[in-house]
Structures are given as C-alpha cells and as structure tokens.
Amino acid sequence: MSDPAVVLDDLREESAALDVLVGEVSEERWSAPTPAAGWTVAHQIAHLAWTDRAALLAVTDPDGFAAEVAKALAAPERFVDDGAEEAAKLPPGELLTHWREGRELLQEALRAVPAGGRFPWYGPPMSAPAMATARLMETWAHGQDVADALGVVRTPTDRLRHVAWIGHRARGYAYLVRGLPVPVEPVRVELVSPRGESWVFGPEGAAQTVTGPALDFCLLVTQRVHRDDTSLVAVGADAEQWLGIAQAFAGPAGPGRPAEGARPTDAPAQGAP
C-alpha cells in the first residue's frame, strides 16, 4: 500500500459509494438504529466526519492534534462517542455537507504530504498511504453498519484489499492494546477476493495460517462479525487467538460482536465504533 494515489482514489470511491447509500435517505431513516448500541445512521456519518477532521488536523497541525490526543486519553471510553454525538444532531443535509467537505479537505492534505512524511495519530504515527488506508477501512466498516440499519446488502469490491492489508498489519496492535504479549511467530493470511483471486499477506511457510473469504476476514478485523459467524480457518494456536481479538482500528480494544445465535436484541453489536 505504498502508492498514496491508488489508495486515495479508492478511498474517494468508497466514500462515494456510502454517500449514494445515505444521500437520498429520508430524515426518519437517519434516526434508524445501527448495530452499534446507541448509534443511529446519523451517528455513523457524524463519526466519519469527525475522524476525517481529526485526521486533517493531524496532517496539517500536529501540535493542535496533540491537544485532541490529550482529550482522548482523559476519556478513553467516551471520546469516540462524544465526537460523533454533536454532529449527529445536525439536520441530515448539513451533516452530509460537513462530511463531504471534510473528506475532500483530507484528500487534498494527504495528496500534498511529501513522500516518506509521517504525522501523529491515536495509534502509531502515520504516513499518507497508511492514513488513507485507515480512513478507507473505517469508511467501509461504518458503511456496513449503515447498510445493516437500512437493510441493504452491499456488493463487495476489490477495495477490501486495503481493509485486509491493514487488518493483517495491525495484528501486533491488537495484542498491545489489550496488554498481551505479541506472539513471535508470524501469521500468513490467504484470502479469496470478491472476484475469486488470491490475496496473500505474511511469509510463505509460516506455521500459523488463516484462510478463507476476504469479506469474512474484513468483517472480523473491523469487529462487524463474531469469529464463529465466519468461514475463516485458523491453523495454529496463535492464529486462532488472534482471530478472537483482531482489531484493525486504533483506540481501545473493542469487545466485538456476539455470535448471531447468542445476541440479545439490545446488546452492543460491535466494539469501539
């Protein structure tokens, strides 16, 4: 994922696809509950808008972003929800404009970052391609919540490769954020893309492996599905343990979703949004 132009183009397409999904939604449907407990469709878009603005600040004003990190550290369990709550109160048209303007400003800022440039984030420092990949991952994941709320089945695209890449790359972070030791052995991930192609991450010959559909893997690492509700096959204790805690997003560890058969109607459906 070293070419920022490629992933930025894909980020724009992923955002546009979600924009089409919500652009004509009635005001009543904006209040529809999503699988994230307490979050409506409006909260999902508000969160994306808020995170885009935070990313823009990180790229253009690292000192100013440090103040935002301090706020997050002061309220680690609330800062994500608080960030979405205010914008979710906006009328749908204003919220859409806020999101559209913010994501385009971020596009411009990321395209202007010099090669090799890095800037702070809530997790490790980011490069422009890494930030664009993270924003695509979040846009796709929250778009899944919106689609679920609206009863829409989305067609998977090859943009999922970015989500799978960051999901594999964030393996160590999933352990660190839980205070667990990171296993020494690597895990090789072999996925079947939406078009039936093979996507491979990790060294050949690794004893620990994960195989299965790319969509299932992406849903799992974004904590939109329970491990038991996927077709993923893990070989090795480390690989299986990772699938139980996988987390592609920065921030506190999320509890993930309960298995479909065990999910109460009012239970949280995901971890940290």
Side-chain angles (χ1 to χ4, degrees):
M1 302 303 158
S2 58
D3 188 341
V6 171
V7 68
L8 279 164
D9 287 346
D10 283 350
L11 170 59
R12 180 171 275 152
E13 289 186 14
E14 191 66 39
S15 299
L18 178 54
D19 202 320
V20 169
L21 190 60
V22 298
E24 300 300 325
V25 170
S26 67
E27 187 166 350
E28 181 181 357
R29 299 299 299 279
W30 278 88
S31 299
T34 67
W39 276 34
T40 65
V41 170
H43 282 87
Q44 299 287 349
I45 300 302
H47 171 68
L48 291 175
W50 173 81
T51 314
D52 284 344
R53 298 282 179 168
L56 179 64
L57 188 64
V59 175
T60 60
D61 183 6
D63 291 338
F65 180 73
E68 295 302 311
V69 172
K71 293 178 184 178
L73 292 174
E77 302 302 324
R78 282 294 312 165
F79 83 101
V80 171
D81 287 328
D82 290 345
E85 189 66 35
E86 184 175 356
K89 298 175 183 177
L90 294 172
E94 290 185 34
L95 177 52
L96 275 173
T97 298
H98 181 61
W99 175 44
R100 289 164 177 165
E101 291 178 349
R103 74 192 199 222
E104 281 306 310
L105 287 171
L106 180 59
Q107 278 269 342
E108 294 172 7
L110 289 175
R111 290 179 188 274
V113 173
R118 301 181 74 82
F119 37 84
W121 193 234
Y122 295 106
M126 291 281 210
S127 65
M131 176 60 80
T133 304
R135 297 309 306 128
L136 190 153
M137 175 270 295
E138 283 245 14
T139 301
W140 178 81
H142 289 283
Q144 184 64 47
D145 294 334
V146 171
D148 287 344
L150 300 178
V152 174
V153 178
R154 301 190 299 175
T155 300
T157 74
D158 280 353
R159 295 190 295 272
L160 284 181
R161 185 178 180 89
H162 301 295
V163 182
W165 177 85
I166 200 171
H168 177 264
R169 187 174 178 83
R171 176 179 172 237
Y173 181 78
Y175 285 85
L176 293 173
V177 77
R178 289 166 174 77
L180 299 173
V182 181
V184 175
E185 281 195 72
V187 174
R188 182 177 174 86
V189 176
E190 300 179 0
L191 304 174
V192 179
S193 79
R195 294 197 295 177
E197 299 173 348
S198 178
W199 294 345
V200 179
F201 310 92
E204 186 175 358
Q208 307 281 330
T209 63
V210 171
T211 58
L215 177 60
D216 283 14
F217 183 75
C218 292
L219 288 169
L220 185 67
V221 299
T222 56
Q223 298 191 355
R224 265 59 186 180
V225 72
H226 189 275
R227 166 75 178 96
D228 293 346
D229 294 324
T230 73
S231 300
L232 298 172
V233 176
V235 174
D238 290 348
E240 187 59 59
Q241 181 191 31
W242 172 41
L243 293 187
I245 63 172
Q247 174 176 328
F249 52 86
R257 290 188 179 183
E260 285 291 340
R263 181 180 301 169
T265 57
D266 59 348
Q270 66 181 52

